Amino acid sequence: MTRWIDLEGAVNARDLGGLPTRDGGRTRRGRILRADNLQGLTPEDVSVLVGGLNLRHVVDLRSNTEVSLEGPGPLTEVPEVAHHYLTLFAEGGRHTDVEADTIDGERVLPWAERVLDEELRVTGFYFGYLRDRPDAVVAALRALALDDGAALVHCAAGKDRTGVLSALALEVAGATREAIVEDYVATGERLELILKRLRGSDTYRGDLDARPADDHMPRARYIEQFLGVLDDRFDGPMGWLSRHGWTDADTATLRSRLRD
């Protein structure tokens, strides 16, 4: 069964359920979803998400600038849906983190040689989220664990910020590393549609056009290195989370949401 959620107004929506876990189980469907920008949802899309999938929480990782420029989306008009605005403040371009323009290698990756190849640039950008806004990362995971309906996390492309949060949520749920990487790279299947959609917005067009389309592809080695450095420096993602206020009770709650 496909994990993709077909919507008219978003092209990178899928379910974090159905992925294998380290103990031989599967993550639970219909609990935590991920997507790209939700500004273009149609009434039919809202019906699918709220009525069909029981969506009750939206975790919006976009910057305050993005939210201001793009305006409120249709789900903000649905009283049953609570919105959690948790910017990660790591934009590399003018308005978004669709791609980073520059990173400070010494500050972001003090444990690596100062060789800013593409892999280090993207991975360093991801560590910027954890460095700059650990409070937002933890709060976003806690919002995804709320149990009164489905929760959905999104940013602009549903690729970088959403990819990192989804990887951490799946790690907490006990998904295999192979499954986490599989979920991360799946965005590549929809990349052309994502870029076409975002280029229709003045907010994102400049950042997107600054680099070739292939540079936006989510590659397995990016998320593998990100998780690998967490393993080396913090005894894994769980170790990093525990240093920033995440508790055993938080883990139990999120696992109960995402585990069969």
Side-chain angles (χ1 to χ4, degrees):
M1 178 183 290
T2 181
R3 296 193 298 119
W4 291 104
I5 302 169
D6 292 325
L7 302 170
E8 296 179 53
V11 296
N12 192 21
R14 61 185 180 273
D15 196 323
L16 290 188
L19 294 171
T21 56
R22 294 188 293 272
D23 62 359
R26 292 270 170 179
T27 55
R28 187 178 297 176
R29 293 183 181 273
R31 297 302 181 91
I32 298 180
L33 318 174
R34 57 176 292 175
D36 48 335
N37 199 344
L38 304 178
Q39 301 301 114
L41 294 181
T42 66
E44 290 75 17
D45 293 335
V46 172
S47 179
V48 168
L49 291 170
V50 179
L53 296 174
N54 196 34
L55 181 65
R56 292 297 180 268
H57 294 276
V58 171
V59 177
D60 189 341
L61 302 178
R62 296 176 301 159
S63 70
N64 295 330
T65 300
E66 289 173 270
V67 175
S68 176
L69 289 170
E70 291 291 283
L75 284 174
T76 62
E77 301 175 4
V78 179
E80 300 97 315
V81 179
H83 281 72
H84 308 264
Y85 293 101
L86 293 163
T87 175
L88 301 185
F89 286 132
E91 295 78 24
R94 289 193 302 272
H95 305 312
T96 181
D97 71 348
V98 172
E99 284 293 350
D101 295 330
T102 61
I103 63 169
D104 182 338
E106 187 172 3
R107 182 182 180 199
V108 177
L109 293 172
W111 54 88
E113 294 181 4
R114 297 182 66 183
V115 180
L116 299 187
D117 61 15
E118 182 71 6
E119 183 174 337
L120 290 182
R121 187 184 67 80
V122 174
T123 303
F125 196 37
Y126 290 176
F127 276 101
Y129 308 152
L130 275 60
R131 180 198 66 221
D132 296 338
R133 286 302 306 271
D135 55 333
V137 171
V138 170
L141 290 172
R142 285 175 175 155
L144 292 179
L146 295 170
D147 64 358
D148 54 336
L152 182 151
V153 58
H154 81 96
C155 52
K159 177 171 72 76
D160 295 316
R161 289 168 286 187
T162 299
V164 168
L165 257 294
S166 297
L168 293 175
L170 288 169
E171 179 77 23
V172 173
T176 66
R177 283 291 172 87
E178 292 80 7
I180 294 172
V181 173
E182 173 193 326
D183 178 69
Y184 173 78
V185 301
T187 289
E189 299 175 28
R190 303 287 178 97
L191 186 62
E192 183 176 347
L193 293 172
I194 294 166
L195 297 181
K196 179 180 179 180
R197 183 166 177 261
L198 290 176
R199 284 193 174 101
S201 167
D202 292 339
T203 305
Y204 303 115
R205 188 181 303 113
D207 284 345
L208 288 168
D209 290 343
R211 303 182 65 86
D214 187 63
D215 282 2
H216 300 288
M217 182 65 70
R219 292 176 168 84
R221 65 180 185 272
Y222 299 160
I223 200 69
E224 288 170 346
Q225 178 169 290
F226 171 75
L227 294 170
V229 174
L230 286 180
D231 290 340
D232 293 341
R233 288 184 59 81
F234 301 101
D235 196 26
M238 300 302 300
W240 182 88
L241 286 168
S242 67
R243 291 193 185 192
H244 294 90
W246 187 261
T247 67
D248 289 343
D250 289 323
T251 295
T253 300
L254 184 53
R255 282 185 178 172
S256 71
R257 289 281 285 155
L258 260 180
R259 294 294 299 273
D260 286 331

